[in-house]
């Protein structure tokens, strides 16, 4: 059974995971968000009351 012989695929497996574990986290950490979250003021957070006309 070829999957029981680690010589052909084990180095490919290790190389692939080493690339994934070193390059991908650096790319994720390099992402920047275009907009910083702003705190809402009290004036903006005031909600309008609903007009329940059918009651």
């Amino acid at each position: 059974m070829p999957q029981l012989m680690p010589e052909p695929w084990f180095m490919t497996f290790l190389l692939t995971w080493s690339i994934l574990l070193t390059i991908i986290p650096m790319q994720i950490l390099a992402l920047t968000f275009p907009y910083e979250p702003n705190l809402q003021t009290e004036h903006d957070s005031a909600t309008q009351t609903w007009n329940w006309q059918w009651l």
Side-chain angles (χ1 to χ4, degrees), residues 12-30:
T12 305
F13 174 76
L14 287 180
L15 181 65
T16 303
W17 273 104
S18 63
I19 290 171
L20 287 175
L21 293 177
T22 56
I23 293 176
I24 301 298
M26 287 189 289
Q27 289 179 349
I28 291 173
L29 292 175

Side-chain angles (χ1 to χ4, degrees), residues 2-46:
Q3 59 268 45
L4 295 178
M5 297 183 300
E7 291 86 14
W9 58 269
F10 189 68
M11 287 307 293
T12 305
F13 174 76
L14 287 180
L15 181 65
T16 303
W17 273 104
S18 63
I19 290 171
L20 287 175
L21 293 177
T22 56
I23 293 176
I24 301 298
M26 287 189 289
Q27 289 179 349
I28 291 173
L29 292 175
L31 292 175
T32 57
F33 296 102
Y35 302 108
E36 292 293 326
N38 295 332
L39 295 176
Q40 290 183 342
T41 61
E42 289 183 20
H43 184 270
D44 291 341
S45 64

Side-chain angles (χ1 to χ4, degrees), residues 51-55:
N51 187 7
W52 299 91
Q53 296 178 355
W54 58 84
L55 292 178

